[in-house]
Amino acid sequence: MAGAAESTVVREDTSTYEAVAGLTVGLAAILFFLGLAATVDIVSVTGTLAGLGTLTALGLLLVVMGLAVVAFGLASYRGIFPTDPRASAGLVAATLFSGLWFLVGALVGSETLGLGFGGGLAVGLLVGAVGFAATALPREDIGSTLPAGALAVLFGLVFLLGVVGPEWSWSPASFPDSQSVTFFARTIAPFAVILSALVVGWAAAKAYGGFGARGRHLGAYLLVYLNAIAIIAVLVALVAFVVVKGFAPVTESVTVGLGVGPATTIALFGFSYEVVWPVNWPFLMNGASLFTDVTGVFPAIVGTAWLVVGAVLLAVPLGVGAAIFLTEYAEQGRFTRVVEVATNALWSTPSIVFGLFGAAFLVPRFTPQPQKSLLAGMITLGFMLLPLVVITSREAMIAVPDEYRDASAALGVSKWQTIRSVVVPAAMPGVVTGVILGVGRIAGETAPLLLTMGGGSFVGAGQRAKVLDSFQLSLSPPFVTNPELTQATTALPYQLYQVVLTGTGETAGVTDITAFGWGTALVLLAVVLLFYAVGIATRQYFRSKLTYE
Amino acid sequence: MSETEPVTNGTERPAETTAGETDERTREAWREYEFAGETKLAVEDLDVYYGDDHALKRVSMDIPEESVTALVGPSGCGKSTFLRCLNRMNDRIGTARIDGSVELDGQEVYQDGVDLVELRKQVGMVFQAPNPFPKSIRDNITYGPRQHGDIDTGLLARLTGRDDSEAADRLVERALRQAALWDEVEDRLDDNAMGLSGGQQQRLCLARCLAVDPEVILMDEPASALDPIATAKIEDLVEELAEEYTVVVVTHNMQQAARISDQTAVFLTGGELVEYDDTGKIFEDPESQRVEDYVSGKFG
């Protein structure tokens, strides 16, 4: 055969086949996203899709794709298309398919045919065994397409023939009445669609690659790719959900124009200056008050901001200092290992434990009578942040190349000067990354604040934590005082919890509690993102000093 | 090898009788052997242990000033260890134990009361891989003097009129010119040094070392990570620097040692200094059979 040597490198013209198989892979991806959209009601299961009922349309698509995949397998088996299949689809695929088919068989046997537990198990085992055999025994092109295509066709027919319609529901009899469980079509159908889209897409991708090594690569690629997309989609959906739900309450009666906003008196150490804001944004600028139409979250925003600032100011110097000692000075041995384990354990300690610690040891410390206070909240959250700062700073410092330390020592520069002017600057981006991660966690903490800081979830805008304004100078020690720090105040996550769960919203005159909750959540998300942005900008600044661009 | 060997520099030296064994008399003879210049560094009976590993065995050699001394030998023969003893960089390795004596200008380096800052200012070092700090070119050069307080360009100094910016600029130019890098980086002194090529980075490291005004420059395979053109530049620099400084170079590369050095010390496996002599003598007519085999490429 003259072309034999050539054909192993250059694949023969397979354009038609590849086009059709590629189209099927694309359809599977679309089906996957439709299923994903249906889980979060973006595509309604009870509504319509392209002029048909949603389930009918999805069923039709599944049947067509299932048949197409089986057709690929058969065409390859008959040698109509040049493919490179192996002897078997493999044990992993066979085990997965037998599991899927076992479930299908067991459910059909026990529920549809009414054979009960024993009958269902028997049918399931039988169908599972057939699925295993159909995958493992034939050549790869049949083994990986037939079970996949059949599954898609079966699910498709179930939807198409209305066996599972939009209003279908299933309450398994095995649950006792007091704990009954009901699966609705809108819960089950999207998952069935996602599952069959993955299976049929995998088979189609294998067919597209002509089976064999290339086919397996493409099949795996498709699964990993869709998986990654799904995770990102979940994140996007989460944020989008909060934005959609929270947008209306947050932007209620916003007006822009000169002099429409509230007047703020900026006061520091006795000097004051009045500013009138050119924008009136009630939700962000108001507190709870009888005289405003819109109850806002301004005091909670201020509280959260001060909490984060206080916690960072406490944790970063202590954490970086500890990391310097552990990395540069302490002899690497049992002591540093114990400290390392302890730090990691501290980071995974539940926040309520920190809260209890704060309530027991910090709350009674600052005032004559035990009183929850902003300061106690700051210190508690600072302690929570501390282990992460230590862990990430240590890692960042260990990652600083020893060559820098050698070079500095060879110039006669002392250890501390080396740490200060070479090691810490080089580790700074890593330290900031740790702080960013930590701030995301502590800004959303609710449990410790309940115990250490929270007082009255709704306060007027005037009663916010006026930390800056309330610095006072005095002639007697401690010379600078700030009574605001020892007062209880509120914070966004704490307020969200109070509004949604404890009904404090009604007493404060909030009309739509749920909407107010979503609004608060949106503001919290924005505040955390703002801290992220500041952190990322800081990291970028330190990084730009270290690299050449 | 014959029993009697030709005489070099007027000093008669007994030959090594058996290959693979350093004769005690030979060792004594080298110690008395005088090179042209004044002795800058005098090393006597230096032993180094890393834990139980005896890395350097009773090494004695005098290094003359204003010349290039090459240390050659196979990997793991102790030549880098020896180099790092000269400015006490081995102190930084916790498991290292050092016996013996190193004298710089007649002053013992291994004794109580030695100021490591002063020692390392006088005995500078350039490493195998270029290791500039991730700072600007200017800050790399002024790093040593700034940390030692010789130059202050900080905010406080500027506010109180003790600003040394001009001195710093002169220092940067002087050091970069000495390292033959000035023309290439003149207009980007404030760019990060990480943007330089490997060869430029290595010359920057040399400039950084020169900025603290050393008398001795130790170089640990300074060109092994560089391409031939960058290597040639470093070699030219080494030869120029030897007019003013005492240069000690560790190298793997026999041709390099032959090209640039005035005297060559051959270390062979086990941390022994087998032979130390004028470079010409080592490469053309070494005393020891092992050295001849090594420099002619028969092993190692």
Side-chain angles (χ1 to χ4, degrees):
Chain A
M1 205 155 84
E6 201 181 327
S7 66
T8 54
V9 180
V10 181
R11 290 154 54 85
E12 285 170 51
D13 180 34
T14 50
S15 49
T16 324
Y17 171 73
E18 283 193 353
V20 179
L23 191 70
T24 316
V25 174
L27 276 177
I30 291 172
L31 199 61
F32 176 79
F33 291 123
L34 283 175
L36 212 56
T39 54
V40 290
D41 289 345
I42 296 173
V43 171
S44 171
V45 170
T46 49
T48 58
L49 192 70
L52 294 165
T54 304
L55 284 182
T56 318
L58 290 176
L60 197 63
L61 213 53
L62 278 175
V63 170
V64 170
M65 287 175 50
L67 290 176
V69 163
V70 173
F72 290 141
L74 288 175
S76 163
Y77 187 70
R78 297 293 304 275
I80 298 173
F81 298 117
T83 53
D84 184 23
R86 301 209 177 152
S88 161
L91 202 57
V92 178
T95 313
L96 287 175
F97 273 121
S98 74
L100 282 177
W101 277 105
F102 167 77
L103 279 179
V104 169
L107 284 174
V108 169
S110 67
E111 300 300 320
T112 316
L113 303 180
L115 296 177
F117 175 76
L121 189 66
V123 177
L125 285 175
L126 184 69
V127 178
V130 171
F132 187 91
T135 316
L137 296 182
R139 216 170 71 169
E140 188 189 12
D141 43 7
I142 295 292
S144 44
T145 54
L146 194 61
L151 195 74
V153 170
L154 179 72
F155 282 5
L157 285 178
V158 163
F159 293 142
L160 204 56
L161 301 178
V163 179
V164 172
E167 304 303 334
W168 174 87
S169 73
W170 172 47
S171 306
S174 49
F175 287 90
D177 283 348
S178 58
Q179 295 164 306
S180 72
V181 170
T182 304
F183 296 107
F184 293 100
R186 65 184 160 88
T187 320
I188 295 289
F191 285 105
V193 170
I194 290 176
L195 183 71
S196 23
L198 283 177
V199 164
V200 89
W202 171 76
K206 278 189 101 169
Y208 177 71
F211 304 98
R214 197 175 116 91
R216 280 163 197 235
H217 160 73
L218 285 177
Y221 175 78
L222 183 89
L223 291 185
V224 176
Y225 183 78
L226 288 180
N227 177 38
I229 295 280
I231 286 168
I232 295 167
V234 167
L235 281 180
V236 170
L238 189 92
V239 174
F241 208 59
V242 175
V243 171
V244 166
K245 292 272 192 184
F247 187 76
V250 169
T251 54
E252 193 179 344
S253 11
V254 173
T255 45
V256 181
L258 277 181
V260 298
T264 312
T265 311
I266 295 172
L268 190 61
F269 293 117
F271 299 98
S272 66
Y273 181 69
E274 200 177 70
V275 183
V276 179
W277 293 87
V279 57
N280 186 22
W281 194 328
F283 194 83
L284 296 188
M285 292 177 166
N286 287 358
S289 162
L290 292 176
F291 308 108
T292 51
D293 321 331
V294 182
T295 306
V297 294
F298 182 59
I301 298 178
V302 174
T304 291
W306 279 117
L307 267 179
V308 169
V309 168
V312 167
L313 285 182
L314 176 77
V316 170
L318 285 180
V320 173
I324 288 176
F325 172 75
L326 288 171
T327 323
E328 304 289 325
Y329 287 106
E331 203 153 298
Q332 304 301 313
R334 186 170 298 174
F335 172 68
T336 47
R337 276 202 303 279
V338 167
V339 172
E340 204 163 321
V341 170
T343 331
N344 290 338
L346 206 57
W347 174 239
S348 29
T349 301
S351 56
I352 191 77
V353 177
F354 278 96
L356 212 55
F357 167 80
F361 292 99
L362 297 173
V363 168
R365 289 275 188 279
F366 307 118
T367 43
Q369 296 300 314
Q371 182 181 322
K372 295 181 190 176
S373 63
L374 180 56
L375 190 61
M378 282 175 173
I379 297 176
T380 307
L381 291 191
F383 285 161
M384 286 184 59
L385 184 57
L386 194 55
L388 186 70
V389 175
V390 173
I391 293 167
T392 49
S393 305
R394 259 206 87 178
E395 269 161 21
M397 282 173 204
I398 289 171
V400 173
D402 264 343
E403 281 77 26
Y404 296 166
R405 296 182 182 92
D406 279 347
S408 192
L411 289 166
V413 176
S414 72
K415 194 162 194 169
W416 168 245
Q417 282 173 307
T418 305
I419 292 168
R420 215 195 57 173
S421 32
V422 178
V423 178
V424 170
M428 219 46 205
V431 175
V432 176
T433 303
V435 176
I436 294 174
L437 288 175
V439 162
R441 180 180 172 195
I442 61 163
E445 273 307 338
T446 316
L449 300 184
L450 284 172
L451 294 166
T452 57
M453 191 188 83
S457 63
F458 277 100
V459 291
Q463 286 166 267
R464 69 179 191 279
K466 288 178 276 193
V467 176
L468 271 188
D469 312 17
S470 71
F471 275 109
Q472 285 162 5
L473 297 176
S474 63
L475 287 175
S476 56
F479 305 112
V480 181
T481 55
N482 197 331
E484 204 64 37
L485 285 177
T486 56
Q487 300 301 308
T489 185
T490 181
L492 285 165
Y494 167 73
Q495 177 157 325
L496 181 59
Y497 162 79
Q498 292 279 345
V499 170
V500 174
L501 281 180
T502 61
T504 43
E506 281 103 347
T507 49
V510 175
T511 42
D512 187 345
I513 299 282
T514 318
F516 190 85
W518 282 114
T520 314
L522 178 58
V523 173
L524 177 58
L525 210 59
V527 168
V528 170
L529 285 179
L530 207 66
F531 280 121
Y532 269 38
V534 171
I536 288 168
T538 316
R539 181 171 65 186
Q540 212 52 44
Y541 167 75
F542 284 119
R543 201 173 272 171
S544 72
K545 293 216 299 191
L546 295 176
T547 50
Y548 177 81
E549 57 240 80
Chain B
M1 199 153 276
S2 64
E3 279 292 302
T4 46
E5 285 294 317
V7 173
T8 6
N9 275 18
T11 315
E12 191 176 338
R13 299 186 298 151
E16 205 175 323
T17 45
T18 333
E21 171 188 307
T22 310
D23 187 7
E24 192 62 26
R25 286 170 303 149
T26 322
R27 201 197 282 275
E28 291 303 320
W30 295 337
R31 211 175 295 176
E32 286 155 23
Y33 172 62
E34 295 280 326
F35 290 102
E38 290 282 309
T39 299
K40 186 75 188 172
L41 284 158
V43 179
E44 190 141 341
D45 289 339
L46 191 68
D47 280 285
V48 177
Y49 307 83
Y50 294 121
D52 293 333
D53 179 21
H54 197 171
L56 211 57
K57 291 175 187 152
R58 273 195 75 195
V59 172
S60 300
M61 65 188 275
D62 290 349
I63 296 170
E65 67 173 10
E66 288 169 15
S67 66
V68 180
T69 306
L71 312 177
V72 300
S75 299
C77 68
K79 55 194 192 303
S80 290
T81 298
F82 177 80
L83 192 77
R84 292 167 68 92
C85 284
L86 301 181
N87 65 345
R88 291 189 59 171
M89 280 295 277
N90 276 331
D91 294 17
R92 290 168 51 70
I93 300 167
T95 56
R97 188 162 63 79
I98 296 135
D99 285 338
S101 145
V102 176
E103 286 181 2
L104 173 67
D105 290 327
Q107 281 185 302
E108 177 58 46
V109 164
Y110 283 97
Q111 62 174 330
D112 291 344
V114 168
D115 182 357
L116 282 185
V117 173
E118 220 28 66
L119 171 68
R120 288 176 185 161
K121 274 165 84 171
Q122 287 186 27
V123 185
M125 191 162 197
V126 175
F127 295 84
Q128 182 170 8
N131 58 353
F133 299 122
K135 299 171 181 289
S136 73
I137 293 170
R138 187 195 304 277
D139 286 351
N140 263 283
I141 305 286
T142 57
Y143 177 81
R146 272 188 292 126
Q147 299 298 334
H148 297 138
D150 299 338
I151 274 185
D152 193 349
T153 57
L155 183 65
L156 193 64
R158 270 179 277 154
L159 290 178
T160 52
R162 287 182 285 109
D163 185 18
D164 297 322
S165 291
E166 282 176 25
D169 288 344
R170 282 197 302 276
L171 173 75
V172 169
E173 179 169 351
R174 194 260 294 165
L176 285 173
R177 278 194 193 283
Q178 274 184 303
L181 192 57
W182 175 253
D183 295 336
E184 291 162 57
V185 300
E186 188 183 358
D187 47 358
R188 47 176 174 142
L189 293 176
D190 292 312
D191 284 4
N192 198 297
M194 293 308 187
L196 299 176
S197 72
Q200 288 173 324
Q201 287 188 0
Q202 192 62 303
R203 278 179 283 148
L204 179 66
C205 292
L206 182 58
R208 179 176 66 188
C209 162
L210 293 169
V212 292
D213 261 333
E215 292 169 11
V216 181
I217 302 169
L218 310 177
M219 298 179 148
D220 192 353
E221 301 184 36
S224 66
L226 305 180
D227 67 66
I229 294 171
T231 302
K233 283 186 182 164
I234 296 283
E235 288 182 5
D236 290 347
L237 270 171
V238 168
E239 287 182 307
E240 271 172 47
L241 289 171
E243 289 167 16
E244 220 180 310
Y245 302 89
T246 306
V247 183
V248 186
V249 181
V250 166
T251 177
H252 257 110
N253 182 332
M254 292 301 132
Q255 287 75 28
Q256 189 173 59
R259 277 195 298 267
I260 61 175
S261 68
D262 300 305
Q263 48 277 328
T264 299
V266 184
F267 288 74
L268 290 180
T269 334
E272 272 177 284
L273 170 59
V274 180
E275 193 160 346
Y276 176 45
D277 211 325
D278 279 329
T279 299
K281 172 90 167 80
I282 290 282
F283 280 92
E284 280 152 28
D285 184 21
E287 303 281 331
S288 151
Q289 186 61 46
R290 292 166 74 199
V291 171
E292 187 170 320
D293 288 349
Y294 183 69
V295 298
S296 61
K298 281 190 191 148
F299 90 98

